[in-house]
Amino acid sequence: MMANETPAAPAPSDNALVRTGADTMFDALHAGGARICFANPGTTEMTMVTALARHGGIRPVLSLFEGVCTGAADGYARVSGQVPLTLLHLGPGFANGIANLHNARRAGSRIVNIIGDHATWHLPYDAPLTSDIESLASPVSRKVIRMAEPAAIARDVATAFAATRAAEGGAATLIVPTDVIDAREETQDAASGGATPATWQGARVDDAAVAAAAAALEGDQGVIVLLGGNALTEVGVRAGAALAARLGGRLLMEPYPGIVDLGGDLPAVERQAYFPDDVIAQMGTARVVLAGARMPISYFGYEGWPSQLVAEASLVRLAGPEHDAIDALLRLGAALGVTGPDGAQPFTPATASANDPAAALTPAGVVEELLVQLPDHAIISLEGSTLGGPWLRNAHRARRHRVMTNTGGAIGQGLPCAVGAALAAPEARVVSLQSDGSAQYTLQALWTMARENLPVTVILAANHRYAILQTELVRANAPLGDAMIEALTLLDKPRVDWVCLARGYGVEAVRVTTCGELAEALARGLALDGPMLIQAELP
């Protein structure tokens, strides 16, 4: 099945086949809105695999590693707003996917994980793959549900969907013992529920909170409006810009947004800085309105710097990630006399790069070329500081697009998120701005890109080092030339040949060293009907 195809409606089951609990489960998942399943199944999932094939209404996407399944589900959820499934094998298989579920939790991505487990009567024997799945799943799940009764399967599914709508959203995990899911279909409990709403909007901020925020801001100037959550969509960005203009201030976004609309005629959005001293300088003494964003904190604890980077007295907590921040912004703006969201900004897309074609590549040169060539309404999956920082500083100069970032800091998110984004929006070109160190964690995503023929263009920043670690070491006055430090931060012995790796997975690839070579490769990659990787050699 190609990326632009949708699953057919469920076909009636063959009466000659005995329906099982797995059939009931997928019927309920489909009724709840699930249309895609990112899978790496094993023996305990075989009944579910055959039921998924019989159902026909949920598209299966195979990945070679569970971290690709969970990261792709995260990207799909961010772009579509809908609920994808993952199908994983026992506790160890789920454990392989936890890192990207941590990122998904920070992004508020609504996902239902399905984990096959041993039959309940087999668990006491502590077979080699037996594990405490509940303990593994709890930190990255809104709710963990162990199926116990075939008659309650549909009810358990409804409970899982409801859990994904709690607070700002997140994943729910179904643990599915083989004896429960293999059992013949039974009459379901009356509380099994039906379809759940496809999209999540957030809780409404009460009138008193909006009035309190308006009173706190009346007469203030130089206020910072800090956007997060659903305020990072077009309407939210325009409403936030209008409010910032009314208050004579600036519009910022949280440092690692799940997905944000940028570029074109949208108002420019400044990104919150990373290091604590930079954040403190950026915020100054301004009042900061939290509109869907968490309060500014230090990414790590640095001696001599506070963890909370804006004093509580300077915060105006309008809306958190769990709220409908757009609605709160519009109501606050109305209370302060804002007549409407900020209108279109003057925008003329660049048609030619200022790069010297013969010049060696730099991160700035990569960004300048992409600003020219990025098509309208593309989606960027961004992982790594080498290209991430320069892009977000210049994104307002590009055509309209959306950007996904690494919300939770667990690396290996960029390539899988690109897979999910391409499946969620097959009409869009997806560009993965990816650092080489973190790409090694989930490079199996390249195989899924090739298998599904996804329109993903990967620009891989090949500087053959862990650049962020070196930046941190410099701040700590550590000697980068020390042999032990080089052994732990350089990736050049041997240098990874990403062209060979990509081609081995079935993805077209090319290595570029100059701005001119990049321009040619990027034009080809963006026009290709399928994936392409560009290994950009950087200093």
Side-chain angles (χ1 to χ4, degrees):
M1 181 178 291
M2 295 296 102
N4 60 352
E5 295 181 13
T6 56
S13 297
D14 188 336
N15 291 331
L17 297 173
V18 175
R19 282 177 56 90
T20 67
D23 296 289
T24 301
M25 183 179 72
F26 284 115
D27 283 349
L29 288 165
H30 187 272
R35 294 294 182 272
I36 194 164
C37 180
F38 297 95
N40 188 281
T43 303
T44 51
E45 294 75 47
M46 291 300 95
T47 299
M48 290 184 270
V49 169
T50 55
L52 187 61
R54 283 199 297 268
H55 186 277
I58 297 174
R59 178 178 180 176
V61 176
L62 180 65
S63 299
L64 301 180
F65 175 63
E66 293 89 342
V68 176
C69 295
T70 54
D74 183 14
Y76 187 94
R78 295 192 203 188
V79 169
S80 69
Q82 298 177 351
V83 184
L85 312 174
T86 69
L87 179 60
L88 307 172
H89 182 44
L90 291 154
F94 180 78
N96 284 339
I98 286 176
N100 275 329
L101 287 173
H102 165 78
N103 293 329
R105 180 181 69 85
R106 300 292 298 195
S109 296
R110 299 173 57 217
I111 300 166
V112 173
N113 302 305
I114 306 166
I115 307 172
D117 196 12
H118 292 300
T120 53
W121 47 263
H122 189 56
L123 287 173
Y125 294 91
D126 194 23
L129 278 169
T130 302
S131 64
D132 184 354
I133 301 176
E134 282 87 349
S135 293
L136 293 170
S138 293
V140 293
S141 305
R142 286 285 171 197
K143 193 172 186 63
V144 180
I145 303 152
R146 175 174 284 276
M147 291 185 172
E149 297 290 340
I153 287 173
R155 183 187 62 193
D156 290 339
V157 168
T159 301
F161 275 116
T164 68
R165 300 180 63 79
E168 67 262 37
T173 298
L174 290 166
I175 302 172
V176 185
T178 55
D179 53 329
V180 174
I181 208 70
D182 290 354
R184 290 195 176 201
E185 185 178 56
E186 297 186 19
T187 302
Q188 293 295 299
D189 290 349
S192 61
T196 61
T199 57
W200 177 91
Q201 188 172 9
R204 185 177 188 271
V205 174
D206 63 48
D207 292 337
V210 174
L217 293 169
E218 189 63 53
D220 264 1
Q221 289 293 305
V223 171
I224 290 172
V225 178
L226 181 60
L227 302 181
N230 76 334
L232 294 170
T233 55
E234 176 180 355
V235 176
V237 168
R238 293 196 191 280
L243 180 62
R246 162 68 177 79
L247 297 169
R250 292 147 56 206
L251 181 66
L252 272 67
M253 63 179 169
E254 58 190 1
Y256 294 96
I259 188 164
V260 55
D261 285 20
L262 297 170
D265 67 353
L266 287 175
V269 188
E270 182 182 345
R271 183 192 190 192
Q272 180 190 310
Y274 176 82
F275 288 112
D277 46 338
D278 293 332
V279 176
I280 290 171
Q282 182 184 41
M283 301 295 177
T285 59
R287 193 73 71 93
V288 178
V289 179
L290 301 181
R294 296 175 174 88
M295 69 178 180
I297 62 168
S298 180
Y299 204 91
F300 293 102
Y302 294 94
E303 193 68 33
W305 295 100
S307 294
Q308 182 170 336
L309 301 177
V310 175
E312 193 65 35
S314 295
L315 291 176
V316 177
R317 296 177 178 271
L318 173 66
E322 71 278 14
H323 292 122
D324 184 346
I326 292 175
D327 174 70
L329 275 170
L330 291 171
R331 287 158 56 211
L332 176 60
L336 292 172
V338 176
T339 56
D342 195 49
Q345 305 296 298
F347 176 74
T348 302
T351 57
S353 169
N355 289 337
D356 176 359
L361 274 181
T362 63
V366 173
V367 167
E368 286 300 315
E369 188 59 48
L370 186 58
L371 287 171
V372 173
Q373 295 202 36
L374 187 74
D376 275 316
H377 302 293
I379 300 168
I380 292 181
S381 179
L382 192 160
E383 181 171 39
S385 58
T386 301
L387 297 177
W391 179 262
L392 289 175
R393 286 193 294 272
N394 290 278
H396 62 282
R397 300 168 51 204
R399 294 172 178 85
R400 282 286 297 276
H401 64 287
R402 289 185 282 175
V403 177
M404 301 182 295
T405 71
N406 191 319
T407 50
I411 63 176
Q413 168 256 333
L415 294 175
C417 259
V419 168
L423 288 161
E427 74 287 352
R429 173 61 58 170
V430 176
V431 176
S432 176
L433 292 181
Q434 178 68 52
S435 289
D436 56 352
S438 51
Q440 287 288 358
Y441 283 63
T442 47
L443 77 167
Q444 305 94 331
L446 296 171
W447 182 83
T448 304
M449 291 179 193
R451 179 183 176 89
E452 301 291 333
N453 196 40
L454 300 178
V456 179
T457 304
V458 180
I459 303 177
L460 189 119
N463 54 17
H464 307 283
R465 56 195 174 96
Y466 284 129
I468 187 61
L469 291 185
Q470 292 187 337
T471 299
E472 294 274 10
L473 287 163
V474 168
R475 286 175 59 88
N477 297 314
L480 290 187
D482 179 87
M484 185 64 72
I485 289 177
E486 286 189 343
L488 292 174
T489 61
L490 295 182
L491 307 174
D492 61 346
K493 295 178 181 178
R495 289 197 164 205
V496 174
D497 187 336
W498 280 95
V499 171
C500 286
L501 287 175
R503 289 175 177 169
Y505 279 118
V507 173
E508 291 195 34
V510 64
R511 179 177 177 270
V512 298
T513 61
T514 67
C515 291
E517 291 172 348
L518 173 67
E520 182 180 340
L522 186 56
R524 178 181 158 210
L526 293 173
L528 191 65
D529 181 20
M532 180 174 172
L533 181 141
I534 301 168
Q535 179 175 334
E537 292 292 329
L538 296 172

